[in-house]
Amino acid sequence: MKKAEGNISVVKQFVLLGFSDLSNLQGFLFGVFTIIYMVIIIGNSLIIILTILDPALHKPMYFYLANFSFLEICYVSVILPRMLVNLWTQDRNITFLECATQMCFFLVLGTSECFLLTVMAYDRYVAICNPLHYPVVMNQKLCIQLALGSWTIGIPVQIGLTAQIFSLNFCSSNDINHFFCDSLPVIRVACGDISRHEMFIYVEAMVIIAIPFLLILVSYSKIITTILKLPTASERVKGFSTCSSHLLVVILFFGSGAIAYLRPKSSHSSGIDKLLSLFYTVVTPMFNPMIYSLRNKDVYSALRKLLLKK
């Protein structure tokens, strides 16, 4: 705390309470999250390596998958290393600047994930609904432009949101009842009327979560309609298998994210908020490589060839 004019204490650093209420499980949680972090890094790195080394994976679908895997590594690395340090040292202090930086990167990368999943759905739509035009439509230039757009689209908006949140006065408690600096937990420790800022966060979440999700739903409604019109059962099974992995990831990520950000304020509790945040920030990135490698024949085949070479 730092004294300001009128003897009002102004917060200069925060305390991430995280899982401090589970005092007897700190060592266990450190071990579990360390293993999870290693699984995420190794699994997603392996997918990136496979898409680079195997010529059979030099397709738009796997180009986006490699981008998605790298995004997952960045996304998790914004949160987990800091959480592991807090669990190991029991020093939960985080400076004003560190908290703002963590929030900004988390929001930017989260936005990128929403739009990259939408681009991947569009890729599957073109491949299944317009297969003859697929090589022309999803050319290298468009693939790079869509990937670059997904990575950068959230930067100006989320920098602005972070600046707006940290321009507030934090003059009461500096305890953030969360394991990282997310927008809603941070804004709730600000003093004064924060209803307008909360509303802005909800509106932004609606745009960033709901619009991409609706675009994905439209793509998959057309994909499913096209697959059901295929003449043989084997063709229908093959059609569903090409997009089932992506659809499962979409349900896991958007489902937990929508519940976390868009459910009514009256139903919020710190325990449920932490559990939902763990799901879309840690659990889903851990399962993504398994989902794509086990449910995708091309990735599984590339992995087998790599292991046989070794």
Side-chain angles (χ1 to χ4, degrees):
M1 300 287 187
K2 180 182 178 182
K3 292 291 183 181
E5 291 183 12
N7 286 330
I8 298 175
S9 296
V10 178
V11 172
K12 301 305 291 182
Q13 69 175 11
F14 298 105
V15 179
L16 288 171
L17 296 180
F19 305 99
S20 57
D21 52 331
L22 304 173
S23 56
N24 296 328
L25 297 175
Q26 299 298 293
F28 173 74
L29 290 174
F30 175 82
V32 169
F33 286 122
T34 299
I35 293 170
I36 289 174
Y37 188 47
M38 291 174 63
V39 169
I40 292 170
I41 297 296
I42 293 170
N44 285 287
S45 297
L46 187 59
I47 286 179
I48 295 170
I49 292 168
L50 289 175
T51 56
I52 293 172
L53 296 181
D54 196 317
L57 301 183
H58 293 173
K59 302 174 183 177
M61 175 181 177
Y62 301 108
F63 168 73
Y64 292 128
L65 180 56
N67 270 268
F68 185 70
S69 295
F70 182 62
L71 177 60
E72 292 286 62
I73 292 172
C74 298
Y75 184 65
V76 172
S77 296
V78 171
I79 298 166
L80 269 182
R82 179 78 199 198
M83 186 168 70
L84 291 173
V85 169
N86 293 351
L87 286 169
W88 180 256
T89 64
Q90 295 299 299
D91 179 8
R92 299 182 176 88
N93 293 323
I94 184 169
T95 67
F96 204 78
L97 180 60
E98 288 171 343
C99 191
T101 303
Q102 185 186 54
M103 181 190 293
C104 187
F105 275 101
F106 166 74
L107 294 174
V108 168
L109 293 171
T111 303
S112 298
E113 184 153 351
C114 291
F115 283 93
L116 188 57
L117 285 169
T118 308
V119 169
M120 293 169 77
Y122 175 70
D123 172 73
R124 291 299 82 209
Y125 161 75
V126 177
I128 294 172
C129 299
N130 297 288
L132 297 178
H133 296 98
Y134 182 71
V136 178
V137 175
M138 299 305 293
N139 56 68
Q140 186 179 27
K141 182 179 179 181
L142 181 64
C143 288
I144 293 172
Q145 288 175 339
L146 290 174
L148 188 61
S150 299
W151 278 95
T152 58
I153 192 170
I155 293 176
V157 176
Q158 301 300 6
I159 288 177
L161 176 61
T162 304
Q164 182 189 42
I165 290 173
F166 283 88
S167 66
L168 297 171
N169 291 320
F170 297 91
C171 54
S172 52
S173 171
N174 66 336
D175 292 342
I176 299 173
N177 196 4
H178 210 52
F179 57 88
F180 71 100
C181 289
D182 199 359
S183 53
L184 287 174
V186 170
I187 204 172
R188 285 174 189 146
V189 300
C191 53
D193 182 14
I194 61 169
S195 57
R196 182 170 61 88
H197 300 281
E198 281 186 316
M199 182 57 66
F200 182 78
I201 291 172
Y202 284 122
V203 170
E204 189 195 47
M206 280 290 292
V207 172
I208 291 172
I209 296 175
I211 290 179
F213 186 63
L214 287 174
L215 291 172
I216 292 171
L217 284 181
V218 170
S219 297
Y220 271 101
S221 65
K222 295 187 177 182
I223 288 170
I224 293 170
T225 302
T226 302
I227 291 174
L228 292 175
K229 290 179 181 178
L230 294 174
T232 64
S234 60
E235 287 178 319
R236 290 194 290 271
V237 170
K238 184 179 179 181
F240 280 118
S241 68
T242 61
C243 56
S244 58
S245 299
H246 176 257
L247 186 58
L248 183 56
V249 171
V250 166
I251 292 170
L252 289 172
F253 179 76
F254 278 97
S256 56
I259 295 171
Y261 282 94
L262 302 180
R263 74 186 194 278
K265 185 179 177 181
S266 58
S267 65
H268 278 264
S269 72
S270 59
I272 295 175
D273 287 346
K274 290 177 190 177
L275 184 62
L276 288 169
S277 296
L278 272 177
F279 201 83
Y280 66 80
T281 60
V282 177
V283 176
T284 303
M286 179 181 67
F287 283 118
N288 285 348
M290 303 177 199
I291 292 169
Y292 276 109
S293 59
L294 295 177
R295 297 182 62 85
N296 187 295
K297 291 181 180 179
D298 291 339
V299 176
Y300 184 69
S301 174
L303 180 59
R304 283 190 62 188
K305 284 191 285 184
L306 180 65
L307 292 175
L308 287 172
K309 283 182 181 179
K310 295 298 180 183

